Amino acid sequence: MFLCELQELADYALVAEFRANLEALTARLDGLRRQIPGEFDEREAILTIEAKAYEGMCWGRDLLFRYMKQAERHGRRVQIYSMSESVDFDLSVTMRIGGLNAFGWLKGERALHRLDREGDRPAMDARVEVLAVAVSYDEIYVDEDEVEIIEHRECFSCGGPRPDHVLAVRLRHLSTETNVWCSGQGATHRNRAGAWTWLHARLLHLRRASAEKAPPPVRHYNSRSPEII
């Protein structure tokens, strides 16, 4: 009888030790799994901010400056591909953020960013989209007859036209109804290269969209401390 009780105690001790070791191993594997980079994490990123109404435009500008500040603090190059503000206070700005792992750093920012305000004041919304820059082995091939190319004179912030030798470039991919445009890069050929980079990133995203059907989450901020990143 005494030997049987000892055997049972030994079995319980072994089971408890096994469970403890299994839990520790599972936690370690989960930690290692989180360290594995995503498919495009090492690439540069194209980030777009869109907001509507005056309050949303102010919030979108705030997000823009915060992203730029954080990127520059980490030594990342920032290129503004396009920026527009309509008379209805709609904001749309797209920028390319360079450096290794830019997409991995920013992909979690894809969301509807909502700044909650006190009292009955409505919340301010700004939508953030993050794309990975496509590379040659992604095999994003676009025939020129599939794209409508429009080049026009750039304008200063006051509305006046820039010199004729600098043209903004707008691309419209006919089959997907994708529109992109790039300006402010200092030369027409740089604007053209930026527009094609943006279009290729957009087409790469559309190729993968079937695996990302979930809508972007809503991220809430407190108006007293709207911290990001």
Side-chain angles (χ1 to χ4, degrees), residues 73-227:
R73 181 179 298 172
H74 290 85
R76 300 182 183 276
R77 183 186 180 191
V78 177
Q79 297 172 266
I80 301 293
Y81 274 179
S82 68
M83 185 171 184
S84 64
E85 297 177 355
S86 71
V87 294
D88 297 324
F89 302 108
D90 291 344
L91 170 71
S92 178
V93 56
T94 296
M95 57 185 172
R96 177 174 178 169
I97 299 180
L100 184 64
N101 201 43
F103 180 71
W105 171 54
L106 288 167
K107 66 180 181 180
E109 296 301 308
R110 176 182 175 268
L112 177 66
H113 294 250
R114 176 165 294 167
L115 180 60
D116 297 313
R117 299 191 289 176
E118 297 178 348
D120 297 331
R121 302 172 68 189
M124 299 190 297
D125 291 342
R127 187 177 68 88
V128 176
E129 179 186 61
V130 184
L131 305 175
V133 172
V135 294
S136 58
Y137 54 79
D138 289 324
E139 298 182 348
I140 304 293
Y141 301 123
V142 181
D143 293 333
E144 290 189 2
D145 57 359
E146 296 179 4
V147 178
E148 180 183 4
I149 303 175
I150 302 174
E151 297 182 353
H152 56 86
R153 294 176 66 180
E154 292 186 352
C155 294
F156 293 101
S157 58
C158 62
R162 291 180 182 269
D164 292 341
H165 62 274
V166 180
L167 301 176
V169 179
R170 184 183 299 272
L171 303 178
R172 178 171 175 263
H173 191 247
L174 301 178
S175 61
T176 61
E177 295 294 328
T178 300
N179 292 275
V180 300
W181 64 283
C182 182
S183 64
Q185 305 307 304
T188 303
H189 71 276
R190 294 196 186 108
N191 291 336
R192 191 178 298 114
W196 279 106
T197 298
W198 186 3
L199 179 61
H200 287 153
R202 168 64 60 190
L203 295 178
L204 177 63
H205 173 75
L206 291 176
R207 177 195 290 178
R208 303 174 62 243
S210 59
E212 300 178 357
K213 292 182 179 180
V218 178
R219 182 178 298 182
H220 291 270
Y221 301 85
N222 187 306
S223 59
R224 295 180 178 179
S225 180
E227 298 295 335

